[in-house]
Amino acid sequence: MTVRVRIAPSPTGNLHIGTARTAVFNWLFARHHGGKFILRIEDTDLERSRPEYTDNILEGLRWLGLNWDEGPFFQSQRLDLYKEAVEKLLDRGLAYRCYTTSEELEALREAQKARGEAPRYDNRHRNLTPEQRAAFEAEGRSSVIRFKIEDGREIIWNDLVRGKMSWRGSDLGGDMVIARASEEGSGQPLYNFVVVVDDIDMQITHVIRGEDHIANTAKQILLYEAMGAKIPEFSHTPLILNSEGRKLSKRDGVTSISEFQQMGFTAEGLVNYMTLLGWSPPDSTQEIFTLETAAKEFGFERVNKAGAKFDWDKLDWLNSQYIHKTPVDKLTDLLIPYWQAAGYKFDGGRERPWLEQLVTLISQSLTRLVDGVAQSQLFFSDTVEFSEEGSTQLKQEGSNAVLEAIVTALENQPQLSEAAAQEIIKQVVKEQKVKKGLVMRSLRAALTGDVHGPDLIQSWLLLNQIGLDQPRLNRAITEAK
């Protein structure tokens, strides 16, 4: 048997991290078994589906490295297949037309609520005669299509994550609507039905999805049986929870993959973290691995039943590890869009060597890519603002004389080297008869506006290359007077 799995997002919103984590588990399982990973877009909700959401989903999966083997298939282009399947169930007496109005359904729910009963359809139109159907149609009633569910039936399956699962037919809410109301034909088919038709047609062997689909599984197993198809294996993965133990939602802020990307997370760091949201590798000490490495170890025996709490600190740490190991040329490519979005002006071609020197300077202090905006701002600005500590330092006794001596020394060093910069500092310490710390702190405050920051000598060299060091030194001298 060739393993065939699918991810089937709905384009009613951007790619959610929960959907993306499900995609990761499907991809890992397929690659572990040398199988196929299929992409299906469930866009039968025509009112809420948007092409821009489809684009976002496809771009997000590509960015994460979750390349698919077949698809994308669009349910909106497969309506004839679904309607044919509905008609077959009707012809075999496994489904029927239900003419119950919305007002009648509401009255039924209210009566059940008054009796303290769970809401369920009472199957009142299951055995209508041809004459009764004709009478309802003569009244102008449209019909939905309902699939018959026997209350006495027990549905059992072995979930690869949760073990033996059992549902009673009486707990499924009565006969299930599988197609919406329509004056003619079978109407728009609904999720629980079309997903089964698709999985049969695409020969899906394993359905891997979130635990919030467990209730759907029992209904879908009955549909597989009714259509004479082999039932796939099911794996219901834990939900992603917020810090309070509730399902992660938009109320928690960032939830879409594109938002994580905008916040400066790398694809490798994010997908690594999502892999650990509910799954643990055999070597519990191993936390950093590529998708390909994880695929070699992945299995549902190590997927937890309990919900996976989202940990921002862990994600930040993992992301920083990938940033710190990224080659300078690639990291420069990753940072350029963030600099451009911040409005920084530079020539990405002519100034490329300088940009890569800047990246080398700041790379090891980055947690997220977006951090590169703040940490490199002083190199893209003509002037800097002095912090309180920076201003205090420039007013220290001897600071102005030190800076003036550095400016004088620079007149003979138009192109500064690291060795020349060290020699200037050494020379100023000796001539001014001051401690090296005063020189270094004063120089940093003048060049960067603060007494803390990246390596001073490398910062000085970068500023010197673009002609900003002497103007800043002169301004600092003026400010301190």
Side-chain angles (χ1 to χ4, degrees), residues 123 126 147-151 169-170 172 174-176 219 222:
N123 305 342
R126 179 188 278 197
F147 173 72
K148 293 179 180 179
I149 297 177
E150 301 302 333
D151 283 354
S170 57
L172 298 180
D175 292 342
M176 171 176 56
K219 298 176 182 178
L222 294 177

Side-chain angles (χ1 to χ4, degrees), residues 166-201:
S166 176
W167 282 71
R168 293 178 299 174
S170 57
D171 293 330
L172 298 180
D175 292 342
M176 171 176 56
V177 178
I178 59 174
R180 291 191 182 96
S182 173
E183 298 293 336
E184 298 178 0
S186 58
Q188 182 76 29
L190 300 181
Y191 168 77
N192 269 318
F193 180 69
V194 298
V195 71
V196 172
V197 175
D198 280 338
D199 285 347
I200 293 172
D201 183 63

Side-chain angles (χ1 to χ4, degrees), residues 269-277 309-311 314-315 318:
L270 184 57
V271 83
N272 189 156
Y273 180 67
M274 286 193 291
T275 302
L276 295 172
L277 277 173
K309 280 195 175 183
F310 195 90
D311 185 339
K314 181 68 170 290
L315 173 58
L318 277 171

Side-chain angles (χ1 to χ4, degrees), residues 81-284:
L81 179 67
Y82 310 139
K83 292 180 180 180
E84 180 184 351
V86 169
E87 294 299 332
K88 286 182 179 179
L89 291 180
L90 286 169
D91 291 343
R92 294 170 58 200
L94 299 175
Y96 61 92
R97 296 186 181 279
C98 171
Y99 298 88
T100 313
T101 65
S102 57
E103 291 79 12
E104 290 170 341
L105 288 173
E106 181 61 28
L108 174 62
R109 283 191 289 267
E110 289 298 322
Q112 290 169 338
K113 182 178 179 181
R115 296 192 297 268
E117 299 172 357
R120 57 174 282 119
Y121 178 60
D122 59 6
N123 305 342
R124 63 180 64 177
H125 286 180
R126 179 188 278 197
N127 299 306
L128 293 177
T129 65
E131 291 76 17
Q132 288 172 318
R133 289 199 297 271
F136 281 134
E137 289 172 5
E139 292 178 18
R141 294 195 185 199
S142 59
S143 63
V144 300
I145 308 299
R146 287 188 182 270
F147 173 72
K148 293 179 180 179
I149 297 177
E150 301 302 333
D151 283 354
R153 174 66 193 276
E154 185 177 16
I155 305 101
I156 299 172
W157 76 91
N158 181 54
D159 195 283
L160 297 182
V161 174
R162 297 166 190 283
K164 182 180 177 180
M165 303 290 293
S166 176
W167 282 71
R168 293 178 299 174
S170 57
D171 293 330
L172 298 180
D175 292 342
M176 171 176 56
V177 178
I178 59 174
R180 291 191 182 96
S182 173
E183 298 293 336
E184 298 178 0
S186 58
Q188 182 76 29
L190 300 181
Y191 168 77
N192 269 318
F193 180 69
V194 298
V195 71
V196 172
V197 175
D198 280 338
D199 285 347
I200 293 172
D201 183 63
M202 297 175 186
Q203 300 179 311
I204 300 302
T205 62
H206 296 76
V207 175
I208 303 164
R209 57 192 181 187
E211 66 177 39
D212 47 343
H213 283 281
I214 289 177
N216 291 329
T217 301
K219 298 176 182 178
Q220 290 169 10
I221 286 175
L222 294 177
L223 286 166
Y224 281 107
E225 292 177 350
M227 287 186 269
K230 183 178 180 180
I231 300 170
E233 299 274 4
F234 289 93
S235 306
H236 289 94
T237 58
L239 298 179
I240 301 175
L241 308 177
N242 63 17
S243 59
E244 297 173 349
R246 294 194 297 269
K247 183 180 177 180
L248 195 70
S249 70
K250 290 182 179 179
R251 289 188 295 272
D252 298 302
V254 175
T255 56
S256 73
I257 295 303
S258 52
E259 288 174 313
F260 281 96
Q261 188 176 7
Q262 291 164 9
M263 290 177 67
F265 290 102
T266 64
E268 296 85 354
L270 184 57
V271 83
N272 189 156
Y273 180 67
M274 286 193 291
T275 302
L276 295 172
L277 277 173
W279 176 78
S280 57
D283 180 359
S284 59

Side-chain angles (χ1 to χ4, degrees), residues 315-455:
L315 173 58
D316 277 333
W317 178 80
L318 277 171
N319 198 63
S320 69
Q321 301 308 298
Y322 280 95
I323 289 177
H324 299 166
K325 294 176 182 177
T326 301
V328 169
D329 59 340
K330 181 180 178 182
L331 186 54
T332 303
D333 291 336
L334 293 174
L335 286 171
I336 282 175
Y338 293 91
W339 289 332
Q340 291 173 331
Y344 295 165
K345 305 299 182 183
F346 55 89
D347 185 330
R350 181 174 55 82
E351 295 181 290
R352 180 73 186 205
W354 182 84
L355 292 172
E356 291 190 359
Q357 290 178 54
L358 172 58
V359 170
T360 300
L361 175 65
I362 66 173
S363 63
Q364 295 306 300
S365 60
L366 300 180
T367 298
R368 305 177 186 179
L369 293 171
V370 73
D371 296 340
V373 172
Q375 295 195 27
S376 58
Q377 182 179 13
L378 69 94
F379 299 98
F380 290 106
S381 303
D382 290 337
T383 60
V384 292
E385 296 298 322
F386 296 110
S387 69
E388 183 176 345
E389 288 181 287
S391 295
T392 300
Q393 178 60 44
L394 293 176
K395 292 181 172 61
Q396 290 286 318
E397 184 179 353
S399 179
N400 230 13
V402 160
L403 297 179
E404 289 175 344
I406 293 174
V407 169
T408 300
L410 278 172
E411 292 174 358
N412 300 319
Q413 295 284 347
Q415 288 296 317
L416 197 63
S417 66
E418 183 172 352
Q422 295 286 9
E423 182 59 33
I424 288 174
I425 291 171
K426 182 179 179 181
Q427 175 185 327
V428 170
V429 167
K430 183 178 180 181
E431 289 178 357
Q432 298 296 316
K433 295 181 173 57
V434 295
K435 292 184 177 180
K436 184 178 181 181
L438 175 65
V439 177
M440 300 293 279
R441 289 192 300 273
S442 301
L443 177 60
R444 181 183 293 280
L447 294 177
T448 71
D450 203 355
V451 294
H452 309 286
D455 183 89

